[in-house]
Amino acid sequence: MELIRRNIHMDRVRAEAVTQFTLEDDVNIPENKPDVSTLNLEKGELVIDEIRPGTDCVTVKGRISYVILYHTTEDGSCLVVLDGKLPFEEKINLQGAMPTDTVDVEGEVEDLTVGTINSRKLNVQSLVTLTARVEELYDEEAPIAIHGEEKAEYRQMPIDLAQISICKNDIFRIKEEVALPSNYPNIFQILWSNISLGDVEFKAMEEKLTISGDVHLFVLYGGEGEDHPIRSFETTLPFSGVLECHGCREGMLPDIRYRLGQQELAVRPDFDGEERSIGLELVLDISIRIYEEEKLDIISDIYGVSSEISTVTHRANLRRLLARVTGKTKVTDRIHVTGGSVLQLLHSEGSVTLEQQSTVENGILLQGSLSVKVLYITGEDDAPYGCAQAQIPFHYTLEVPDIAPEDLGKVHAEVEQLQVTMLDGEEMDVKAVLCFSTVVFKNIPVELISQVTVSELDSSKMSNLPGMVMYIVKPGDNLWNIGKKYYVPVETLRELNSLDNDELMPGQKLLIVKGG
């Protein structure tokens, strides 16, 4: 007897570890830059340069590239930009990893703090979180039929499955040219910029993925002229495109993660040769997982009628799509400004951090914080610009009916809307909408038959079975178990007892004839 099998394509995380560490350095102001009077803004970007897998570990080498905007009281431009880097090399314990593995490492700059030691020296501290994981593709072999001359009974279990069809990483490039409005001065130097993405959407099509969304761009720059007047410019740029994706078909289930990778912002001359154009080049790092849903009938048990059949099983975890959900929540708070007053708001930006997610009844409880930075004009000559920052906590339950702890999906979070308004010279009102999305797969633990052994019937065992018996149904009995006990086909039991279906009632009488 031979099992006819079907490969079920699966993916899993074989090893995963999270580590958190701090970086710190005292930074001297270069000789060609003026003294620091007041710190305004700072930001840090994590760059991973090298990943070296080892046995039960991985070594990550990289840096935090930071940019600091500060105010000076010296003659010239009142705002000055300073950049630098904090290098690191971190060894992460990753149980189960091997030197031949491909290890994916994601990182976040959880916090970047800049302090003034004196007018020529700053202290820079950063809290970094790294997540390392080894993902792998594998197949489960599921029996769907049997082939052979032996007379046997088998039953099938219908399962809705979600198999992985496509698993790869890709990049998408965005190139844009932005011209300043006519009433803006030419650009002398870009002091600060912020780039973020919004409304990013992927769709599975025939042999491709379509992508669309918006790029939000903010630029603070010093203009041409004797006093280098400070101007801010903000715009939203829609983008769309296509990623080639062999094997993709419409109707498949995409589970796609993206992050903003390399960013380049450059001042370029326009057609008249004036510095009035901003060239924008972005790279989106995209992790593509595309699944296909299928209903499969898997053999769950076999017994022999004319021979003894024994099976060997192994434990497997299959899965089906439980839910693809999105949810939104509003976050509100007020920011109080100390040490000055607000004359005009220039720019606000926000980022959301998920600090914890846990399964609750019919949902995923999300806890985290919204980080808000606001750049504003003070109207004071000695410090004309200020920055207010706040961490606003939130908790929200993303509704996922029938979810269990082992079904937890990875939640993607982003700031969909952020609005900051002045209440008075010392207080701002913050209103934000946070958006969450996830694909959750239901874990299906099953015992898959991996081996079948056929042998002759035990003569002593068969002689002890009556040739004919009137069997009284007990609670929990079914035709399958009764047929398996007496080596009788289920269909024979139906015919002998004129049964229209497989339902049995306790106390019901069944006629069983051996060898029937």
Side-chain angles (χ1 to χ4, degrees), residues 222-236:
E224 286 185 352
E226 186 176 346
D227 297 328
H228 297 304
I230 305 298
R231 293 291 184 269
S232 63
F233 174 70
E234 197 160 4
T235 188
T236 297

Side-chain angles (χ1 to χ4, degrees), residues 221-377:
Y221 71 94
E224 286 185 352
E226 186 176 346
D227 297 328
H228 297 304
I230 305 298
R231 293 291 184 269
S232 63
F233 174 70
E234 197 160 4
T235 188
T236 297
L237 307 168
F239 70 89
S240 61
V242 173
L243 290 169
E244 291 186 5
C245 193
H246 179 66
C248 185
R249 296 192 305 274
E250 193 171 354
M252 284 184 166
L253 175 66
D255 183 15
I256 299 175
R257 307 295 173 182
Y258 66 90
R259 69 178 186 87
L260 194 55
Q262 184 179 346
Q263 308 174 32
E264 292 186 10
L265 202 65
V267 180
R268 297 173 182 169
D270 60 11
F271 290 112
D272 298 325
E274 296 184 331
E275 304 289 315
R276 301 189 53 78
S277 185
I278 301 172
L280 180 67
E281 295 189 16
L282 307 177
V283 175
L284 271 63
D285 296 320
I286 304 173
S287 173
I288 300 173
R289 304 290 185 272
I290 300 181
Y291 299 85
E292 187 171 19
E293 295 180 90
E294 180 183 6
K295 183 182 290 290
L296 198 62
D297 292 327
I298 297 175
I299 293 178
S300 58
D301 199 6
I302 305 173
Y303 70 84
V305 173
S306 59
S307 57
E308 194 78 50
I309 297 177
S310 60
T311 61
V312 176
T313 64
H314 71 278
R315 187 78 166 178
N317 287 310
L318 306 181
R319 63 187 172 200
R320 65 174 174 86
L321 175 65
L322 178 63
R324 186 177 185 179
V325 294
T326 59
K328 298 178 182 181
T329 187
K330 294 181 179 179
V331 176
T332 59
D333 202 359
R334 292 187 176 183
I335 300 176
H336 187 75
V337 179
T338 57
S341 60
V342 180
L343 182 65
Q344 178 185 343
L345 300 181
L346 273 182
H347 171 65
S348 60
E349 57 190 63
S351 60
V352 58
T353 301
L354 278 179
E355 296 161 1
Q356 185 177 354
Q357 61 180 66
S358 55
T359 303
V360 295
E361 186 176 358
N362 292 325
I364 302 174
L365 176 61
L366 306 173
Q367 299 179 72
S369 61
L370 170 66
S371 176
V372 180
K373 294 182 180 180
V374 184
L375 183 65
Y376 59 89
I377 298 175

Side-chain angles (χ1 to χ4, degrees), residues 151-155 301-308 457 461-462 465 469 471 473 477-494 496-497 499 504 510-516:
K151 192 175 182 181
E153 285 283 291
Y154 67 88
R155 63 175 175 179
D301 199 6
I302 305 173
Y303 70 84
V305 173
S306 59
S307 57
E308 194 78 50
L457 289 173
K461 183 177 181 181
M462 291 300 294
L465 292 175
V469 66
Y471 183 84
V473 176
D477 277 344
N478 55 55
L479 289 180
W480 177 266
N481 292 336
I482 295 170
K484 187 175 183 178
K485 179 179 179 181
Y486 288 95
Y487 296 83
V488 177
V490 171
E491 185 59 33
T492 301
L493 291 176
R494 291 196 194 98
L496 282 173
N497 296 276
L499 299 176
L504 298 178
L510 292 180
L511 175 63
I512 301 175
V513 178
K514 185 169 68 174

Side-chain angles (χ1 to χ4, degrees), residues 40-295:
N40 291 106
L41 281 172
E42 67 279 334
K43 62 181 177 180
E45 178 188 359
L46 177 69
V47 180
I48 296 175
D49 297 313
E50 185 181 1
I51 300 172
R52 298 196 305 269
T55 302
D56 294 329
C57 68
V58 61
T59 301
V60 183
K61 188 176 181 181
R63 63 191 186 276
I64 303 296
S65 294
Y66 61 82
V67 181
I68 301 168
L69 185 68
Y70 68 87
H71 176 258
T72 181
T73 55
E74 294 186 16
D75 293 338
S77 177
C78 60
L79 289 179
V80 182
V81 62
L82 173 69
D83 56 23
K85 61 183 179 180
L86 298 174
F88 68 85
E89 185 170 327
E90 190 75 10
K91 184 176 181 179
I92 305 172
N93 293 324
L94 188 60
Q95 194 68 33
M98 296 180 289
T100 55
D101 283 336
T102 298
V103 181
D104 292 323
V105 179
E106 296 177 350
E108 294 289 340
V109 180
E110 300 289 348
D111 184 43
L112 181 69
T113 304
V114 181
T116 305
I117 297 175
N118 55 53
S119 63
R120 301 299 301 173
K121 182 176 286 191
L122 302 177
N123 176 260
V124 182
Q125 299 181 36
S126 179
L127 178 64
V128 180
T129 299
L130 295 179
T131 302
R133 64 174 62 90
V134 178
E135 296 182 295
E136 65 179 5
L137 301 176
Y138 69 101
D139 282 349
E140 288 287 1
E141 292 188 329
I144 58 173
I146 59 174
H147 176 72
E149 297 179 355
E150 296 84 358
K151 192 175 182 181
E153 285 283 291
Y154 67 88
R155 63 175 175 179
Q156 294 175 303
M157 173 176 59
I159 298 181
D160 291 321
L161 296 175
Q163 297 190 69
I164 187 161
S165 295
I166 300 168
C167 177
K168 67 173 186 175
N169 295 326
D170 207 340
I171 61 172
F172 181 77
R173 300 183 185 275
I174 301 173
K175 292 185 178 181
E176 295 286 349
E177 197 89 8
V178 183
L180 291 178
S182 58
N183 59 335
Y184 278 61
N186 293 352
I187 301 173
F188 173 73
Q189 180 189 19
I190 291 181
L191 300 169
W192 191 262
S193 65
N194 179 256
I195 301 170
S196 61
L197 302 177
D199 296 327
V200 178
E201 184 178 3
F202 296 87
K203 288 185 179 179
M205 308 292 285
E206 295 297 322
E207 300 293 320
K208 63 183 180 182
L209 283 171
T210 62
I211 176 176
S212 61
D214 295 323
V215 177
H216 303 293
L217 171 65
F218 169 78
V219 175
L220 185 73
Y221 71 94
E224 286 185 352
E226 186 176 346
D227 297 328
H228 297 304
I230 305 298
R231 293 291 184 269
S232 63
F233 174 70
E234 197 160 4
T235 188
T236 297
L237 307 168
F239 70 89
S240 61
V242 173
L243 290 169
E244 291 186 5
C245 193
H246 179 66
C248 185
R249 296 192 305 274
E250 193 171 354
M252 284 184 166
L253 175 66
D255 183 15
I256 299 175
R257 307 295 173 182
Y258 66 90
R259 69 178 186 87
L260 194 55
Q262 184 179 346
Q263 308 174 32
E264 292 186 10
L265 202 65
V267 180
R268 297 173 182 169
D270 60 11
F271 290 112
D272 298 325
E274 296 184 331
E275 304 289 315
R276 301 189 53 78
S277 185
I278 301 172
L280 180 67
E281 295 189 16
L282 307 177
V283 175
L284 271 63
D285 296 320
I286 304 173
S287 173
I288 300 173
R289 304 290 185 272
I290 300 181
Y291 299 85
E292 187 171 19
E293 295 180 90
E294 180 183 6
K295 183 182 290 290

